[in-house]
Amino acid sequence: MKKILITGGAGFIGSHVVRHFVNKYPEYEIYNLDKLTYAGNLENLKDIENKSNYHFIKADIVDSDKMFEIFEKYCFDGVLHLAAESHVDRSILDPMAFIYTNVVGTVNLLNAARKIWEDDLEDKVFYHISTDEVYGSLGETGYFTEETPYRPNSPYSASKASSDHFVRAYYKTYNLPVKITNCSNNFGPYQFPEKLIPLIINNIKHNKPLPIYGKGLNIRDWLFVEDHVKAIDLVFHKGKRGETYNIGGSNEWTNIDLVRKICKIMDKKLNREEPAENLITFVKDRAGHDLRYAIDSSKIQNELGWKPEHSFEEALEKTIDWYLKSEEWLENVTSGNYQKYYELQYSKR
Ligand code: NAD
Ligand code: DAU
């Protein structure tokens, strides 16, 4: 039986990955290792927590001794590494946390895998889940390909770029069987409401201002999280060692158009008289704000046969419905420290 470690499995994308692997591969033992930061929430995995092939380990990937101890104890055959500090705005407030978790934490995992696998690398996989932000910003035209040079602009993307470089270096130097994917903006259930889509849904629900950075003309390529998870499954099982694959939704939106779309959908669902668009408030821009991300996914499409299956309209509506019905989840994650973060991030904008 294969033992698979998924780091960051209590976070947004990680919880979807854990659920997918636990349900689809009962022959695998799935170990979810997570520090449970503000973004990690075991409530995201309530429906699978009692499955016999699911196990949870609370640990910090920055703790190198602990990582060696855990890898030696469980002898994983594969690693899907998603644990990270993931929010650009927080990286502007506190870059060091990103360097520790995203860079040092990733190298700790690489070292632990290298130690337990030694020269027995057959059928082993160390898969690093990364972001398109490592490529920097596009102008009005063009796409990121796997050959686009790295030009990260935020402390978050610089830390992810650095971790990607270490992962690739361990392949070249030690022959560690690595794979990397760089994906565009995900959305869907369980996303922490610091990110644009759930923040806007939550603020509309509470009749709060909808903060749009700058003029709202920055462009992101949005992908439903379940489509990302299918790509992750394919790359984990069929991707080539040492290779990078870009993953994107071919679904570009300016922030302002996207927010207006959410407003319209929610006006209908909430049956309110006052249009939610009236809540839109333009605020001070994000420092170093990347203008546009857009992905050329032809490599993963041609080599592994992946393509997004969900239409954006349906997936967005499904996501809004999930947030509207998950009142308790939303209340829990937006109380306490979230209020302090919100105040710090938005009160002086
Ligand atoms: P998230 O912030 O929702 O979850 C991150 C998880 O990592 C949390 O459960 C947290 O508790 C855990 N974690 C953080 N620091 C840790 C540490 N030191 N030790 C152990 N666990 C720790 O993030 P997400 O949006 O689900 O992103 C997951 C991964 O995918 C990240 O690596 C991110 O860079 C990448 N990614 C995200 C997106 C996106 O749009 N969200 C797109 C492309 C790539
Ligand atoms: O591209 C992949 C990346 O997408 C991931 O690697 C990151 O982990 C993930 O957080 C996301 O980064 P972004 O910075 O693009 O996502 P965010 O949801 O924070 O912002 C999306 C856009 O919306 C961005 O242009 C900034 C803008 N924005 C965001 C917030 C939170 C606003 O205008 N107002 C806001 O309040």
Side-chain angles (χ1 to χ4, degrees), residues 83-119:
E85 288 291 342
S86 69
H87 192 39
V88 173
D89 291 326
R90 286 187 195 253
S91 82
I92 296 167
L93 290 174
D94 176 18
M96 287 315 289
F98 288 70
I99 296 164
Y100 287 125
T101 287
N102 299 359
V103 186
V104 177
T106 300
V107 178
N108 283 340
L109 294 171
L110 289 165
N111 286 335
R114 200 183 141 222
K115 187 163 179 215
I116 61 153
W117 293 343
E118 292 181 355
D119 294 325

Side-chain angles (χ1 to χ4, degrees), residues 86-89 131-133 156 183-185 194-196 199 211-213 218 220 222 255 286 289 293 346:
S86 69
H87 192 39
V88 173
D89 291 326
T131 170
D132 61 353
E133 299 199 9
Y156 163 69
C183 187
S184 63
N185 288 60
E194 63 190 351
K195 309 280 171 31
L196 181 69
L199 184 141
I212 309 286
Y213 299 165
N218 302 67
R220 297 293 181 264
W222 293 95
N255 294 334
R286 173 186 278 175
H289 198 173
Y293 305 142
Y346 294 98

Side-chain angles (χ1 to χ4, degrees), residues 1-4 25-31 52-53 55 74-77:
M1 188 168 288
K2 283 200 175 168
K3 290 186 177 177
I4 312 291
Y25 302 107
E27 69 276 25
Y28 292 171
E29 293 294 327
I30 304 297
Y31 294 82
S52 59
N53 65 334
H55 314 274
Y74 296 104
C75 289
F76 306 115
D77 302 294

